[in-house]
Amino acid sequence: MTDLKKIKKEAEKEIGSAKDLKELQDVFNQYLGKRGELTQILRSLKDMPKRERIMFGKDANDVKNALTIAFDEKSAGLKAGEARAAEEKEWIDVTAPGKKIAVGHLHPLTLAKRKTMEIFQSMGFAVAEGPDIETEWYNFDALNIPKDHPARDVWDTFYLKDGPLLRTHTSPVQIRYMEKNNPPLRIIAPGTVYRHESTDSSHEFQLYQVEGLMVDKDISVANLKAVVGEFFRRFFEKEVDFRLRPDFFPFVEPGFDISITCLVCGGKGCSVCKETGWLEVAGAGMVHPNVFKAAGLSPEWQGWAFGFGLERLAMLKYRINDIRLFRSSDLRFLNQF
Ligand code: FA5
């Protein structure tokens, strides 16, 4: 009887102090498991004389029932506590502000290129392409720049081994396109060009150009001015002053350079416009008859062509004061677009 009381007291104490279900299970095993202390006592009942068995058996079973109830209650309490803890751990605050996801965006030159293509396409121009690695024929000869012509020096060229070169402008696409397509035609040809030049705030050795070509029966400089003016209006989303001044390119006659009032300084003069208030953005002119001939067309056709520097346009649109920023990979610059 003393053993029973002792067992009950100790078991109740241990049940009370079990911190989690595992500890409680251990206590259960210690007393009521297969080899538990109380289980052993209950098993020994059968060897007792009948009278004692009846008396002692009742008390032993009472202790067993009391402990079983204490176990169940403690177990229920611990389970509820654990469920509450898990709930608290997994609690989601639906009102908390979300994490900001970094979203990629387009490079300013890509934006400028897409905008340019969109504007010219809406004016009926097709988009043509040509290879970055060109032959001397397409880059020079077919454009009325024969081998020893001094104009070849205007473009410092990267020559590759055994003849080919990195195109110095997008004008070769004029020839390639006219070889395959008969006039009337209108195209633009955006692409990368390469020049063996030292760099400064408005010069790069790798740049984008956008070639334009319009060929028909009765095409004049007035058409060129009208198309270019419309392009500027839509590209810069405002009226901008631009001017055509005589310039020389062997593949056009007459030839011009096209400049815009510097939008970076508002025409006052800055490092981008070299203090002149104007920035040259394109070469242009009426297609030379020799160019038609080289492309296998009759020199009777008329047409104009231009070659824009896309970086220069983007610099004016976004007010960027150094062309070298475009390819600097500087995220502080790029994240502004
Ligand atoms: C040409 O490349 C001629 N092919 C353009 C042309 C096409 C004339 C059709 C007539 C008819 P130019 O070398 O000037 O021309 O370059 C044209 C434009 O490219 C320049 O006005 C300028 O905007 C840009 N550009 C030229 N060189 C650089 C450079 N190093 N860095 C940045 N932009 C440049």
Side-chain angles (χ1 to χ4, degrees):
M1 285 303 281
T2 12
D3 277 356
L4 259 185
K5 275 188 191 146
K6 205 171 132 221
I7 285 174
K8 184 168 182 271
K9 208 169 157 204
E10 275 171 12
E12 277 171 350
K13 196 171 147 214
E14 284 177 45
I15 290 170
S17 58
K19 281 194 283 307
D20 54 36
L21 286 167
K22 175 156 187 320
E23 262 187 51
L24 185 67
Q25 186 63 42
D26 289 344
V27 179
F28 181 89
N29 291 344
Q30 194 190 326
Y31 295 98
L32 288 168
K34 258 189 199 159
R35 296 216 186 95
E37 286 175 43
L38 191 61
T39 315
Q40 309 262 24
I41 292 173
L42 288 166
R43 257 190 218 136
S44 68
L45 281 177
K46 63 179 187 320
D47 304 324
M48 286 184 184
K50 196 177 172 194
R51 227 174 83 84
E52 282 172 33
R53 186 167 70 214
I54 291 168
M55 265 175 57
F56 189 73
K58 187 179 174 302
D59 287 341
N61 273 313
D62 285 349
V63 172
K64 186 187 171 189
N65 290 340
L67 287 185
T68 308
I69 289 168
F71 272 118
D72 288 348
E73 279 173 359
K74 178 75 180 180
S75 170
L78 284 176
K79 273 186 190 151
E82 278 182 18
R84 243 191 335 272
E87 223 171 69
E88 258 164 45
K89 215 168 122 205
E90 286 164 19
W91 181 74
I92 297 167
D93 181 0
V94 288
T95 63
K99 277 196 192 131
K100 210 168 181 195
I101 298 167
V103 186
H105 55 87
L106 295 175
H107 191 280
L109 287 176
T110 309
L111 293 171
K113 189 166 115 185
R114 290 199 181 171
K115 179 97 183 156
T116 303
M117 283 167 42
E118 185 190 304
I119 296 168
F120 279 104
Q121 280 174 318
S122 78
M123 290 196 270
F125 284 73
V127 177
E129 278 189 339
D132 286 25
I133 297 176
E134 265 299 2
T135 61
E136 281 196 57
W137 165 257
Y138 284 108
N139 198 76
F140 293 123
D141 302 78
L143 291 165
N144 203 27
I145 315 171
K147 240 192 181 50
D148 299 316
H149 195 291
R152 282 208 184 187
D153 293 342
V154 173
W155 297 287
D156 293 317
T157 312
F158 288 110
Y159 284 94
L160 305 179
K161 221 174 150 215
D162 302 329
L165 47 85
L166 295 179
R167 64 177 173 189
T168 57
H169 52 178
T170 42
S171 298
V173 186
Q174 291 185 33
I175 308 291
R176 289 186 177 273
Y177 195 81
M178 287 193 285
E179 279 177 343
K180 296 212 177 85
N181 300 275
N182 285 321
L185 49 90
R186 295 176 206 193
I187 57 155
I188 57 159
T192 310
V193 308
Y194 310 84
R195 296 183 179 189
H196 195 275
E197 273 185 26
S198 44
T199 61
D200 62 23
S201 59
S202 57
H203 290 85
E204 264 287 14
F205 60 86
Q206 179 189 329
L207 57 132
Y208 274 117
Q209 281 192 341
V210 181
E211 195 77 8
L213 175 70
M214 183 168 182
V215 181
D216 209 326
K217 288 218 174 70
D218 192 16
I219 294 288
S220 70
V221 177
N223 300 125
L224 168 66
K225 247 192 111 183
V227 170
V228 166
E230 178 63 13
F231 166 64
F232 286 152
R233 233 184 321 281
R234 285 160 69 174
F235 185 81
F236 295 111
E237 292 164 357
K238 62 176 175 192
E239 289 294 329
V240 290
D241 281 340
F242 68 99
R243 69 182 184 190
L244 269 65
R245 291 187 309 172
D247 198 354
F248 176 73
F249 300 95
F251 35 96
V252 287
E253 181 56 39
F256 310 98
D257 80 50
I258 304 177
S259 309
I260 304 190
T261 336
C262 182
L263 302 176
V264 176
C265 62
K268 286 195 210 87
C270 67
S271 64
V272 174
C273 62
K274 306 268 180 307
E275 307 300 332
T276 63
W278 294 89
L279 186 66
E280 185 199 306
V281 289
M286 300 303 293
V287 180
H288 196 288
N290 286 351
V291 172
F292 287 132
K293 273 195 237 166
L297 294 181
S298 156
E300 301 292 307
W301 286 105
Q302 287 182 357
W304 53 248
F306 62 64
F308 276 106
L310 196 74
E311 283 80 356
R312 300 263 176 100
L313 291 175
M315 284 168 85
L316 294 174
K317 185 170 169 71
Y318 301 120
R319 294 165 157 267
I320 295 163
N321 62 8
D322 197 316
I323 195 170
R324 291 163 294 196
L325 285 167
F326 288 118
R327 290 178 178 80
S328 64
S329 304
D330 188 337
L331 288 178
R332 287 170 306 175
F333 166 70
L334 293 172
N335 281 338
Q336 295 174 53
F337 298 90

